[in-house]
C-alpha cells in the first residue's frame, strides 16, 4: 500500500511564498497524474493543479501565474510552489496520485494546513 505524506504547510502572511511537498512511500506502477487539491472551511474540495508523468500541467484559474506544480519521478514526490499567497488560499491542501488504467490506483495524503493571514 502506498502512502502519501505531505509537508510544508503553515501560517504565513499574505504575499509570501510557501512550498508544499508530498512524498509517496512505496512503488507507483506506470504513468499517473499527481495533483494538489484544497478544501477551505465550509467549502468543497477543489482541484488546484495537476501534473502528468511526462510533465504536462494544468491549474485552477484562481492560482494560475502564482502556483507551480512539479514532480520528481525518481523520488516519487510532487511539489507545489505557492507565490503571492492571499487570504483565499487558506485551506487544507491534499496531494493525490491517480492512475485510471490497469493497474488502477488512487491515493490521497492526509492533508496539510495552509493559513494565510493579513
Amino acid at each position: 500500500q502506498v502512502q502519501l505524506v505531505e509537508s510544508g504547510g503553515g501560517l504565513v502572511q499574505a504575499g509570501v511564498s510557501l512550498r508544499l511537498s508530498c512524498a509517496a512511500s512505496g512503488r507507483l506502477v506506470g504513468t499517473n497524474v499527481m495533483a494538489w487539491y484544497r478544501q477551505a472551511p465550509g467549502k468543497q474540495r477543489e482541484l488546484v493543479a495537476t501534473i502528468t508523468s511526462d510533465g504536462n500541467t494544468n491549474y485552477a484559474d484562481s492560482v494560475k501565474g502564482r502556483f507551480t506544480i512539479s514532480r520528481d519521478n525518481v523520488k516519487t514526490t510532487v511539489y507545489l510552489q505557492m507565490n503571492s499567497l492571499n487570504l483565499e488560499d487558506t485551506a487544507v491542501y491534499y496531494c493525490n496520485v491517480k492512475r485510471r488504467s490497469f493497474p488502477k490506483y488512487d491515493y490521497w495524503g492526509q492533508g496539510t494546513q495552509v493559513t494565510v493571514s493579513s
Side-chain angles (χ1 to χ4, degrees):
Q1 181 74 7
V2 172
Q3 290 187 324
L4 302 182
V5 179
E6 297 119 335
S7 60
L11 172 62
V12 296
Q13 287 192 318
V16 303
S17 299
L18 204 60
R19 189 174 89 148
L20 305 182
S21 300
C22 173
S25 66
R27 182 167 171 254
L28 295 172
V29 177
T31 59
N32 53 57
V33 178
M34 302 185 94
W36 287 96
Y37 290 75
R38 67 185 182 185
Q39 187 166 18
K43 294 187 177 181
Q44 289 189 329
R45 188 173 298 189
E46 64 172 350
L47 179 62
V48 176
T50 63
I51 184 166
T52 64
S53 292
D54 55 5
N56 291 318
T57 59
N58 274 294
Y59 297 91
D61 288 343
S62 59
V63 305
K64 278 182 182 176
R66 298 189 299 122
F67 290 12
T68 302
I69 189 171
S70 60
R71 63 188 285 168
D72 183 328
N73 289 329
V74 173
K75 296 181 180 178
T76 57
T77 300
V78 61
Y79 305 95
L80 187 67
Q81 177 67 41
M82 305 184 293
N83 298 330
S84 302
L85 284 163
N86 58 52
L87 300 181
E88 290 70 38
D89 295 319
T90 294
V92 178
Y93 285 72
Y94 299 89
C95 67
N96 170 260
V97 59
K98 186 177 305 180
R99 177 177 165 86
R100 296 187 184 277
S101 57
F102 183 82
K104 295 182 180 180
Y105 50 80
D106 187 1
Y107 301 116
W108 288 87
Q110 80 287 353
T112 186
Q113 177 70 48
V114 173
T115 303
V116 183
S117 64
S118 59

